[in-house]
Structure formats: C-alpha cells, structure tokens
C-alpha cells in the first residue's frame, strides 16, 4: 500500500461524508517497527488501511482512533517498546491520532442564485452538500463547485436517491411554489432534522394551510422553518446564503 492509495481512500471517504481517523507515527527511536511518517487510516467500522507497526501498537492505535471518532478529540499515544512494557522490539514510538468526523448532510433543493450561493458557502463551512434541480443547465459542476453530489431530477423523483435522517438538513428554494411544496412533503415523509423553506410569510401561510387540508398534523407542520435563515436583513443571494448557513451552523453546534 502506498501513501497515494491511502490519500485516495481518505478523499473517497471525505466525499461520501464517512468518518475516519488518521494515525501517524510522529516520533521513533531504536528498533521500532515503523518509523516517523508511517500512516494508518482507521474507518468508522474499525477496518484499516496502512500500518503503524502491527501487534499491540496497532491494536491500541485502532482503539484510540475509534474513541477519537466518538468524541472528536485528537490523541497522542507514546509507546515504550521494552519487554517490561509488553513489547519485544525495543526503542520507542509516538502515534498521533486525527479524527475526521462525519460531515453534516445538507440537501439544497433548487440551484438558482440563492441555491448556488448556499451550496458554495455551506461547502466551505464543512457541510456535505447534495444539490437537487431538474434543470440540466443549472445542474453542472461548473455552476456548483461546492456540491459533493448533483441530482438532476424532478424533486419528487430525487427522494429515491436521498438518505435523509434526523442529522440531515434540507433547504428549499426551487424556482416555483409547486416544487417547493413537493420538497416539503418529501422531507416531511423522512426524519430530516431541519427543513428550511425560502419565502415570504404569505407563502408560509399558504403552505401551512395546504398541508393542514392534506392531513399533516400540527407537529409535522411545526417542523418547517420558513422563512429560512437568520434575520440579518439579507438582500442579495450571497447575503441570504450567509443568513441560511449561519442558521445551519448554529443548529449544528447545538449539543
């Protein structure tokens, strides 16, 4: 296994939003089994790629990596590789553990000016962004460089490709009310943790009245946050994106 293969696996996991930890030998002396710079990737399920020395060093490094994924903290593991410490190699080595947690999923319905601005900003703020829009000319990586995934499909059909859970966020800003409301209904059918709809208070009243007629209860209707975004007087797409992503970060930071 080469370092390039390890880096490619790190990039693949990061694109998928899957958690992993990187264990790196940062110091060594004597006849330690691996030297400084040796790396091992530990996936969330405990499987590994690469090695920091095998045996007890590796076992304890994997255990520390999984613990780091659980609490998000870095760890430094010093090993004295003498017989009285349970090792036979001699020397010493230090392993540093860096956890890379799961990125919060944001599904951006609609990739107009606001959708593009939200996608770009959310990406830079550490979200894994899936952009949904049925318009091919609005669903390109050139327009959406921050999108990890682009789904070019009608809103109703897109849910077959989405895996929304209580840790997921959805922001809805499609070109039309009908598509907006389809996205709301689709999200309400999942455990999506945050459903934000761009629009006026009048639009909110219309939506809630329709949903009530359709049989959505008060608790379900209460899951919809509209208008989405913090009240900062935003006007331009970029300012609106700041207000929305700021709200998402605020929620993400909550324990």
């Amino acid at each position: 296994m080469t370092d390039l293969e390890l880096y490619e696996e790190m990039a693949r996991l990061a694109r998928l939003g899957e958690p992993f930890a990187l264990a790196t030998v940062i110091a060594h002396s004597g006849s330690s089994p691996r030297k400084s710079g040796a790396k091992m990737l530990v996936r969330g399920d405990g499987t590994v790629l690469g090695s920091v020395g095998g045996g007890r060093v590796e076992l304890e490094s994997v255990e520390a990596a999984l613990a780091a994924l659980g609490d998000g903290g870095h760890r430094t593991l010093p090993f004295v590789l003498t017989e009285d410490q349970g090792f036979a190699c001699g020397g010493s080595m230090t392993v540093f553990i860096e956890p890379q947690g799961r990125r919060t999923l944001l599904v951006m319905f609609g990739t107009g000016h606001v959708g593009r601005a939200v996608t770009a900003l959310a990406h830079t703020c550490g979200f894994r962004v899936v952009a949904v829009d049925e318009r091919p000319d609005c669903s390109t990586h050139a327009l959406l460089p921050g999108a990890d995934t682009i789904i070019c499909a009608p809103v109703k059909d897109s849910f077959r490709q989405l895996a929304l859970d209580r840790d997921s966020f959805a922001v809805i800003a499609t070109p039309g009310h009908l598509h907006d409301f389809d996205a709301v209904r689709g999200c309400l059918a999942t455990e999506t943790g945050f459903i934000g709809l761009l629009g006026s208070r009048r639009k909110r009243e219309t939506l809630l009245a329709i949903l009530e007629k359709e049989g959505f209860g008060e608790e379900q209707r209460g899951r919809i946050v509209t208008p989405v975004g913090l009240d900062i007087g935003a006007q331009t797409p970029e300012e609106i994106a700041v207000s929305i992503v700021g709200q998402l970060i605020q929620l993400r930071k909550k324990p």
Side-chain angles (χ1 to χ4, degrees), residues 104-108 117-119 121-123 125-129 167-172 192-197 225 228-230 240-254:
T104 303
L105 172 64
L106 166 64
V107 178
M108 182 67 235
V118 169
T119 296
L121 184 58
H123 173 77
C125 291
F127 289 88
R128 182 167 65 92
V129 185
D167 295 323
S168 304
F169 295 165
V171 172
I172 301 166
T192 307
F194 177 85
I195 305 170
L197 172 65
V225 178
V228 64
L230 300 175
I240 294 170
V242 169
S243 74
I244 293 173
V245 176
Q247 187 176 35
L248 301 183
I249 292 172
Q250 188 179 58
L251 293 168
R252 188 177 62 179
K253 294 290 185 183
K254 281 188 176 179

Side-chain angles (χ1 to χ4, degrees), residues 1 20-21 23 36 51 87 180 216:
M1 198 238 27
F20 65 89
S36 297
S51 173
F87 296 94
D180 282 346
F216 288 91

Side-chain angles (χ1 to χ4, degrees), residues 30-182:
S31 54
S32 60
R34 295 301 305 272
K35 310 306 179 189
S36 297
K39 299 177 181 61
M40 177 177 70
L41 181 152
V42 182
R43 303 181 184 88
D45 62 1
T47 58
V48 304
L49 184 64
S51 173
V52 290
R56 187 172 148 191
V57 169
E58 200 145 296
L59 176 63
E60 292 187 14
S61 295
V62 170
E63 291 174 348
L66 294 176
L69 287 175
D71 62 25
H74 295 76
R75 282 165 172 73
T76 302
L77 308 179
F79 293 96
V80 178
L81 307 175
T82 56
E83 290 189 10
D84 60 347
Q85 295 292 323
F87 296 94
C89 300
S92 65
M93 59 191 297
T94 303
V95 177
F96 183 64
I97 308 289
E98 301 171 81
Q100 300 291 325
R102 188 188 302 275
R103 289 188 295 154
T104 303
L105 172 64
L106 166 64
V107 178
M108 182 67 235
F109 292 96
T111 57
H113 295 300
V114 171
R116 291 174 206 164
V118 169
T119 296
L121 184 58
H123 173 77
T124 61
C125 291
F127 289 88
R128 182 167 65 92
V129 185
V130 175
V132 178
D133 201 302
E134 66 180 343
R135 299 168 294 177
D137 58 330
C138 291
S139 306
T140 68
H141 286 286
L143 288 176
L144 299 162
D148 295 87
T149 303
I150 298 174
I151 298 176
C152 184
V155 167
K156 286 183 178 179
D157 296 341
S158 70
F159 284 93
R160 290 198 291 267
Q161 302 178 56
L162 296 172
L164 291 160
D165 58 27
R166 62 186 60 187
D167 295 323
S168 304
F169 295 165
V171 172
I172 301 166
T174 77
H177 290 189
L178 294 180
H179 295 321
D180 282 346
F181 295 176
D182 284 342

